[in-house]
Structure formats: C-alpha cells, structure tokens
Amino acid sequence: MKQTSFILIFLFISLVAFSQDSQISGQVTASGKGLAFASVSVLKTTEGATTDSLGIFNLNGLMKGNYILKASAIGYISVSKPISLTDSQTVVLDFNLMPDKSSLDEVVITGTMKEVNRLESPVPVEVYSPAFFRKNPTPSVFDALQNVNGVRPQLNCNVCNTGDIHINGLEGPYTMILIDGMPIVGGLSSVYGLSGIPNALIERVEIVKGPASSLYGSEAVGGLINIITRKPQNAPILSADIFTTSWQEVNTDIGFKLNAGKKALVLTGINYFKYGNRIDNNDDNFTDVTLQDRISIFQKWNFERKENRLFSVAARYNYEDRWGGDVTWNKSFRGGDERYGESIYTKRWELFGNYQLPVKEKMMLAFSFNDHDQNSVYGTTSFLARQKIAFSQLSWDKKIKKHDLLAGAALRYTYYDDNTTATAVGNGIINSAQKVWLPGIFIQDEIALATKHKILMGLRYDYNSVHGSILTPRFAYKWIINEKGIIRLNAGTGFRVVSLFTEEHAALTGARDVMVTEELKPEKSYNANLNFLKKIYFGNGNFIGFDASAWYTRFNNQIIPDYESDVTKIIYSNLDGFAVSRGISANVDFNLINGLKILAGGTLMDVFSKNEIKSRPVLTEKWSGTWAISYKIPKINIGLDYTGNIYGPMRLPKLSSSDPRSESSPVWSIQNIQLTFSGDKRYEIYGGIKNLLNWTPGKKDPFLIARSRDPFDKNVQYDTDGKVIATADNPYALTFDPSFVYAPNQGMRGFLGVRVNFR
C-alpha cells in the first residue's frame, strides 16, 4: 500500500512538473533562406538555442510566464519578440533577420577562434576597418599599423629597410601574423610577408595583445595580428586604389569579382608597388629608402553548398625585388666588394582555405600551405633560404546549454633551410635543414555563469619534435557591468620556438658573426591582462568610447642577443634569469554628429630583463601615443584626416663606448594630413602630406650608418686579440654596421590618389 501511494504521489508530481513546461520552435531566416547557427536566447534567463543548418530551433523546459525571445546572428540586425506561455503550451515563432552592414566591424574571430560579436567576446580584441587605414594610405599592411596604439612597425636595417611588428614593447618574433586565421606568415617570412597584401581586399584587421598560444600555438606570445580578407559576396564588382607621392612612389590596388558558374564566386586582387628613386638627403652615400619593385596577386573562391555550409579557398603569389646601399650600385655589383648593396629577391606563394564538413555538427577543416624562397646578398655575404609551412586543423564548435565548446586538433610542419649557422651541424661543416613537426590538441569552454558573467577556460597540448611536450592553459572572465560597461580579465601562458633569422636581421648584414653558446630552449611566458570597456551615449546621438588595459608578462628562457661583449659578434643564449613586459594602455573614441571623430590612444610600459642586473632592451620605448582626427563637411563632400604618432626615448644599439652616436633616441613624431573629396559612392579623390614635421632620425648624430664610406672594412685595423684599433681613418674604432635605426628615414612628401568602386 505504501509503495502504491509513493508511486501515485511521484507520478502526480511528475505530471504537474511536466504540465508546467512548454515548447517553442521556429525558424530563423534571412533573405528567404534558413539561417544556420543563429542564436535564439530568452532574455533575463540563461536559456537559449542555436539554429541547425536549415535555421530551425527548439526551446524546451520553459515554465508558465511572460518572456522576450531574441534572435541574433553575425552581420544581421537582432530581432526581439514577446511571448506569453501557459501550461504545456507548444508555440511556433519565426524570425526574419535583415543584414546589418554597420555591425560588420564589430564581428571578431581571433580571440576565441569563432565568429562572435566583439562585445560578447571574453577576450579583448581590437578591430580596425579599411576606413581607419584609409585615413593615412600606405602601400603595405606593415606601414598601415603605425597608427595603432601599442603596435609599432620597427625597421631593423638602415639599408634594406626590412622590419617586424612590436606589440607592447616586445620584439617582432613574439608577434604572430595570420591571414584569415591561418598561420602562414611566420619565421623567415614575417620580415617580408606583410608586404604585398592588397589593401583593397582587406575587410578588417583584428589585434589581440598578449599570449594566445592555447589556441594558436607557437609564436603567439606577444600578440596576434589577424588580417581578415573580404568575402567575395561583400566585395564590389570592381575596385581600384592608385596613389603616388612626391618621392615617386607608386602603389596600385585593383580588385574585381566574377561568377564562376552558378555556385562559385571569385574575388581577385592585384597589388603593384614601385619605388626606384635614389635619394640620399643625409649625404652618407647610401640610399635613404630601399628601392622596391613588388607585385602580389591574390584570389579567393567561395563555393555555394547545401544548407549554407562554408567552403572557401584562397591563394596568393608575391614577388619582390628590393635593394638599398651605395647610390651608384647596380646589379652588376651584386655579391662583389666594389660597391656595397643589399639585394633581396623574394618569391612566395600561399594556399589556404576552410571547409565545413557535411555533418549536422559544426565542424570545420582549415588548411594552409606556403613556400617562401629568398635569394639575398648583403655586401659579399649571400643568404639563400627556403621555408615551407604546412598546416591543418579540425575544429568542433558545440553549444550545450550554458556551455559554448570549441575543441580541435592541429598539425603544423615547418621546413627551413639556409646557408648560415642556423642550419649548420658539426661545427658548420654539414648543412642540415630543420624539419619540425608540431601536432597539438586544444579545448576551450565558454561558460555563461549568469546573464552578466561569463568565463572561458582553455587548454592546449603540443608536441614539438625538437623540444618535446608543451602545455599552455588559458583563463578569461567577462563581467558585463551594464549595457555600456564591460570588464575582462585574461590570464595564460605562451611559448615560442626559436628561429635564429628572426631574432636579429643584423646577423645577415655581413657586419657581425653569429655565435650560439648553448642549445637554445623554447621561451615560456606567463601573462595577465585586465581590460575595461565603457561607452557613453548621449541623447543627441553623440557617444564616447573608452578602452583601457593593464598587462603583465613574465618570460623564462628568453633569448636576448648580446651585441656588447664583442662588437664583431652576435652571441645568442637563453637568459639566466627572467624578463618582464608590463604597462597600461588606453584608447578614447569620440563620435560626434557634427562630423567630428577622434580616436586617440596612449601606452605606458616598462620592459626589462634581469639576470644579475636589470637592463632595458634596445629599441623599446617607455611610452607612445597615436591619434586619428577626422572631420567631414557633407555640403561640399570633403573629409579631413589628421593622423600621427609619438614615441618616447628608447635605448639605441651603439657599437661600443667610443661610438659617438646617441645612447637614446629623442622624442619623435610622424604626422600626416589628408583631404578627401567624395563625388559620389563610386569614387574618391584624396591627397595630402606625409611627415608634416619633416622629421628624420639622427639629425644630431654625426652619422647613422657606421663607416658607410668603408662598408667592406678594408681600412679597419685590428690588434692581436681581434679588437678594432682607432686610427686617423677610423677615430672611433668602429666597423661597418647599419643596425643603428629606430625610425623611418623618409622626410616630408606629398601624395595624391584616387579610389573607384563599382557595386
């Protein structure tokens, strides 16, 4: 009897509980088609669902009451609908979303490896649109980043003008460069790979500051720069952007798209840059700016598949011929000791793509392959290098109630060979190409603790065929204070495997010999970053945005090249101690309805290494600032842009105590102004002045390039210990060295250009 009573009571309670639950189903559509992977959330609760490949969603377990359902998707205007539920009710509710072009710049991928709204990401990601870079038109992505706060393009050679990207004061090898999320620009190619990407095909640039190795692996230690190319369906039918300068630089960007059958769209971009004007304003007998002849061809295919599944393939070919040196040099002197020149031929091609597997779950296969062939001569020193990188990654994206999971496996193979000590074994007698396998697995879980609180936990395991197992955990927390304020806390670790070429370009100028005193170990870092984002909206349509971050990064096994022990050598070893990068950074964004827009930022940082003593690395500023001020006058279709940057003093790479050049750089600034006339939506005419202050480095120094009149050191005398002797011809006891460089050596110049777009 007791058992029967218990069963009846249990059934009654279950039926009552069941009777309180309702079911909501429906479809989210856009342009008459089902929208896959759209989000349907129940506001002020943690309930939600994701649409399938046909746009269908189902919500179960809602109790009696009044609710508001919100349907949203990347690139579409969100729609909310109220609904009132009674007991055990089944409701069909459909949503139709409209495209929202204004929201495209707010979509980010880099922080979590999946498309999310920038404000929804627990990882702070900075997004820069083509409109931002058009405020100061440049011939390459490398130059375009000069007005991004906390990011500095650094030239590493006064002769060939190659360089890398510093983020928060960290050297270029700590920055990972991606194209459409693919790690195809790294190692050898990081020096040259940022040139030749057609600006007309860039949809946006995403920047993450701080380690991201738990998602992207090696090299993502200081930060990430992800160049997102346009989708063919979003690109104009034909676009062109051509400009020239008073220094006789010419840059041409052309893009066009076409249909390849009924199910494929093809986007093609061509970039050509030419600079052949030999200028020697500082009278050192060397070209002030490297001469370049570069062409890049890019093509991207998007295929239409059933249920809107993704399949895109892209390829790029880049060829560059650059040289700098003696103003009387020509190719007949290449490799000889009559005229000094640094001549670099680069051939590079890339293939990369994304394929969504034909299964119900959201599974993506990403792949890339690139081949970089470089033939260089630095005076009489030849540098012949080949690098190939193959990459493949399978990822699974799954939402389960409060959990947003991402898991995957990746495999990276790197082949590197050159004719230097970097690939030499047996005391340099035998050359052995480096072949490194890097398989890895990763998982991250983004958990919605409550409406305003979200955490992200990630873990990656890699096995490097040279260095063994590497584990990189990651944690992030996001607190939505209110609709206008967000706090994000990120912490994690990073690692970087050494590539001697990228450590210091000066190793190849012929000025110094390379010495590796030990077997170099991978660098490891530990990072914490606190970010605060605030937007203030005014009733008249004006708003102010404020974005501030504080970071701390500590390195073990850091590789710091030693230039000071012996002026004829670069000595590499792991630091027997630790290194730190810490600081604060802030951006302020004013948008006023009268046409005035101001974006200004500043960074204050302390970067140092500590063994027995604390020392600051060369070419690292303590503070910097950037700004972009724009004003539009609609009545006459004129826009004005005033952009610039400013940098505090940095320690400079002097050769010795007798070197008369400055120990630190002055405060310096590059400023630009531009006027743009927009006749209609199809064309723009723009022009202005770059480097308004006509600032160039070294005006208070006796020279920038040490012994530019004797670049082969024919008149340098040495003592029995191999040290340079001071003579009448060489009073400072120096050898030829072009590494004393901290800023572009290009003065004021005018520019004029035109843009055309047909949609």
Side-chain angles (χ1 to χ4, degrees), residues 101 134 200 230-239 257 681-682 756-759:
K101 295 182 180 179
R134 285 197 294 267
R230 282 182 170 179
K231 298 177 181 177
Q233 55 266 38
N234 296 333
I237 295 175
L238 175 65
S239 65
K257 71 175 181 182
K681 295 181 179 179
R682 291 178 296 178
V756 179
N757 282 277
F758 293 96
R759 293 189 175 275

Side-chain angles (χ1 to χ4, degrees), residues 337-339 707 710-717 729:
D337 62 357
E338 291 186 52
R339 301 283 191 278
R707 295 193 60 77
D710 183 24
F712 300 102
D713 293 333
K714 293 181 179 180
N715 298 320
V716 174
Q717 297 182 27
D729 181 65

Side-chain angles (χ1 to χ4, degrees), residues 26-37:
Q27 185 180 32
V28 179
T29 59
S31 302
K33 296 182 179 180
L35 193 59
F37 306 112

Side-chain angles (χ1 to χ4, degrees), residues 173 496-505 523 559 561 563 572:
R496 185 174 71 89
V497 177
V498 181
S499 174
L500 271 183
F501 174 84
T502 63
E503 302 313 309
E504 183 48 60
H505 175 71
E523 296 183 352
I559 299 164
Y563 293 89
Y572 292 104

